[in-house]
Amino acid sequence: MSHFLKPPLERIPPSIVCAADYEAPARERIEKGVWAYLNGAAADSLTLAENLTAFRRLRLVPRVLAELEGGHTGVELFGTRLAHPLLVAPVALQKLAHPDGEIATAMAASALGGAMVVSMEASTKIEDIAAAAPGPLWFQLHILPDREFTLALVRRAEEAGCRALVVTVDAPVSGVRNDEQRAGFVRPSSVAPVNLEGMKPLPPHIAAPGESAIFSSPLAAAAPGWAEIAWLLSNTRLPVLLKGILHPADAARAVEAGAAGIVVSNHGGRTLDTLPATIEALPAVVRAVAGRVPVLMDGGIRRGTDVLKALALGAKAVMIGRPVIHALAAAGAPGVAHLLHMLRAELEVSMALTGCRRLEDATEALLWRDAQA
Ligand SMILES: Cc1cc2nc3c(=O)[nH]c(=O)nc-3n(C[C@H](O)[C@H](O)[C@H](O)COP(=O)(O)O)c2cc1C
């Protein structure tokens, strides 16, 4: 039996006017276990909630009668010009959301002049995604216990034309996924992380009573450290970003190690619960990085105003996770294109009403502080 409860929408109803409007039609289409995987978070979902509410707590300062002519949302990242700063975050197994999976997302991102970060755990081969969409792709990976396989994947990503590597560093082990456990999530056999075919599996580890399931496992023994980041950097010419940093000291170390960029992220609240919101962690990371490399962020972006707030606090661009999956599940490629279009249009409205013609005009001065009242 398929995990899809209904076919995707044939046309986008006029009642869908913002990112959040895609959640209900997505949920209606997906069996509850798979939905818990796609939309859920770790433990009590506190970090997921914080990511959203922290944006809502921030207020913008309007500026009037500003010169707007010639404004735009363009940004350059690692030598690629993008029409807007909204990247599609790496999300695994997108065929769980829609039969067209990553191809639909890549086509939409490409059509809207943006970039997509393809997950190492994509349900479509990186070569096939690259062949289907002309737009810029980045490749997200974990440094796997099978280092040889990791390097082979990097070569495949390079040959497919990916323009940057994003190493996820905040998930050496899976989070406590109670939502998935309660809903009984089992990955349907029809959807698989096909880019990982051929990887040497870790030996199975069954902890003896009294033995640690994590610390005594082969996974812990093979977990990457800073030495593996240096190893990867010495084995690729692509810019390497580290994704999943919240602490300014880790950000500074990443830059010193040679990272080309930082993604401030708490994995959308899916790894360790009770972490702070990413928008709250962003300013200290931006200070520690001190302009040496671009800082991106993700987690909780649902509105153009959220994007502007992230830029005001020093992000060069943002990544969007769950909203893309909602739009994909509800309406496939046209849904994702519509979502990105709406977010970009909202960003433009927010820029115009705060007197920003360019993304670089967004500074901390855009945020209303109580002292201003
Ligand atoms: C279903 C799902 C799968 C994800 N898979 C990955 C992944 O394979 N690699 C990764 O680095 N992050 C993964 N993430 C995290 C996202 O890249 C991103 O950090 C997060 O979703 C941003 O928060 P948002 O969903 O509030 O936008 C996943 C997120 C979701 C919701």
Side-chain angles (χ1 to χ4, degrees):
M1 211 186 69
S2 162
H3 62 282
F4 295 114
L5 305 177
K6 281 187 189 182
L9 292 165
E10 271 173 23
R11 62 179 72 83
I12 296 165
S15 56
I16 297 185
V17 297
C18 71
D21 291 340
Y22 270 112
E23 183 169 340
R27 183 190 288 258
E28 277 171 24
R29 289 175 162 72
I30 310 278
E31 171 276 316
K32 79 173 174 22
V34 170
W35 180 254
Y37 170 78
L38 290 174
N39 200 51
D44 298 312
S45 301
L46 298 174
T47 296
L48 172 61
E50 262 304 292
N51 278 350
L52 302 168
T53 52
F55 272 119
R56 294 179 171 211
R57 283 194 293 268
L58 292 175
R59 291 157 297 159
L60 291 166
V61 180
R63 298 305 301 270
V64 302
L65 305 172
E67 173 87 46
L68 296 174
E69 205 188 327
H72 64 78
T73 59
V75 63
E76 190 174 310
L77 278 169
F78 309 115
T80 302
R81 187 87 198 151
L82 303 174
H84 56 78
L86 307 160
L87 284 85
V88 173
V91 170
L93 301 174
Q94 297 188 11
K95 286 188 184 170
L96 289 177
H98 187 283
D100 297 342
E102 290 81 5
I103 300 258
T105 307
M107 281 168 54
S110 173
L112 273 281
M116 169 177 178
V117 188
V118 175
S119 166
M120 179 185 84
E121 291 174 78
S123 45
T124 310
K125 291 205 169 125
I126 179 64
E127 294 81 3
D128 296 343
I129 304 171
L137 299 178
W138 297 3
F139 188 71
Q140 173 271 328
L141 68 151
H142 297 269
I143 297 182
L144 299 162
D146 185 345
R147 305 280 193 257
E148 220 178 295
F149 187 86
T150 309
L151 213 50
L153 257 184
V154 166
R155 296 287 168 262
R156 283 177 59 192
E158 289 169 347
E159 274 156 34
C162 293
R163 300 184 193 193
L165 299 175
V166 178
V167 179
T168 299
V169 291
D170 64 357
V173 298
S174 291
V176 173
R177 297 280 186 80
N178 292 153
D179 288 338
E180 290 168 29
Q181 291 164 330
R182 284 191 200 101
F185 169 61
V186 182
R187 176 174 60 80
S189 56
S190 55
V191 179
V194 290
N195 291 291
L196 296 180
E197 276 164 18
M199 181 180 71
K200 265 196 236 97
L202 279 174
H205 175 68
I206 298 162
E211 192 191 22
S212 160
I214 296 282
F215 296 112
S216 60
S217 73
L219 190 66
W226 290 102
E228 283 69 29
I229 299 298
W231 165 80
L232 180 65
L233 285 164
S234 68
N235 272 295
T236 181
R237 290 225 187 96
L238 288 180
V240 174
L241 296 90
L242 299 194
K243 171 176 181 278
I245 287 184
L246 292 188
H247 198 295
D250 285 342
R253 185 153 182 192
V255 176
E256 280 142 29
I262 304 288
V263 185
V264 172
S265 173
N266 52 30
H267 218 104
R270 294 165 68 86
T271 52
L272 183 59
D273 199 19
T274 80
L275 297 178
T278 45
I279 192 65
E280 288 183 344
L282 178 65
V285 169
V286 167
R287 276 195 299 278
V289 169
R292 288 174 288 173
V293 298
V295 177
L296 283 72
M297 70 87 72
D298 72 18
I301 303 266
R302 302 292 181 265
R303 285 284 187 185
T305 43
D306 299 335
V307 182
L308 188 65
K309 288 169 185 176
L311 299 174
L313 288 171
K316 179 103 180 178
V318 301
M319 294 185 182
I320 319 287
R322 290 178 188 79
V324 167
I325 294 310
H326 297 162
L328 177 65
V336 178
H338 178 227
L339 169 86
L340 293 170
H341 173 78
M342 288 191 298
L343 285 171
R344 180 191 174 168
E346 287 182 10
L347 171 63
E348 285 183 49
V349 170
S350 332
M351 287 170 69
L353 297 179
T354 54
C356 297
R357 286 197 314 156
R358 310 269 156 97
L359 303 182
E360 302 83 78
D361 298 337
T363 67
E364 270 194 79
L366 289 192
L367 296 173
W368 185 272
R369 306 287 185 199
D370 288 334
Q372 276 167 318

